[in-house]
Amino acid sequence: GVVVTPYAFRASDWAYAAAASGIVNTTTAVTIKAAAGASIKNYIRSMQIDHDTLGAATELVIRSGAAGTVIWRCKLKTTALPITTINFDPPLQSAANTLLEVATLTATTTGGVFINVQGHTGA
């Protein structure tokens, strides 16, 4: 049967898992969800962040579109951060038929930033 979560059908769920080394010493964005198709948006319900000791503080952003509009941001200090879960209620949303990406705005020089994201697609 069809399973419905608070925001979407379970079949429309997606998840992104961080790369093994995380985001290290770069400002190059990482696509966390490809564009979902004509008139379809990507939604983020929750995410987990943690990071090693960083060589430089940075901002972490989630953007709608390649180098697009920032829809969420936070500052990461140099001190290591244990895994922290953030729930978005209501969920963050991309523009229609637009990818979602995450990026650090300052190269951290050392240490990895690890992001895991869960969401769904819908109109």
Side-chain angles (χ1 to χ4, degrees), residues 78-101:
T78 57
T79 306
L81 175 72
I83 193 160
T84 302
T85 297
I86 300 169
N87 295 307
F88 299 104
D89 187 16
L92 296 178
Q93 68 179 351
S94 70
N97 198 26
T98 304
L99 63 79
L100 286 168
E101 65 181 17

Side-chain angles (χ1 to χ4, degrees), residues 4-93:
V4 179
T5 62
Y7 298 103
F9 291 109
R10 189 85 172 135
S12 67
D13 284 356
W14 58 267
Y16 169 82
S21 60
I23 300 170
V24 181
N25 197 25
T26 185
T27 58
T28 302
V30 176
T31 299
I32 56 176
K33 177 65 175 80
S39 302
I40 306 297
K41 296 178 181 180
N42 290 313
Y43 293 87
I44 297 175
R45 291 190 310 267
S46 60
M47 65 186 283
Q48 297 76 44
I49 304 170
D50 70 317
H51 66 78
D52 303 324
T53 299
L54 303 177
T58 186
E59 286 183 74
L60 178 73
V61 296
I62 296 175
R63 296 188 290 221
S64 175
T69 303
V70 173
I71 59 174
W72 184 88
R73 84 173 61 227
C74 74
K75 185 172 184 178
L76 301 179
K77 298 178 182 178
T78 57
T79 306
L81 175 72
I83 193 160
T84 302
T85 297
I86 300 169
N87 295 307
F88 299 104
D89 187 16
L92 296 178
Q93 68 179 351

Side-chain angles (χ1 to χ4, degrees), residues 9 27 35 105 108 110:
F9 291 109
T27 58
L105 298 185
T108 58
T110 59

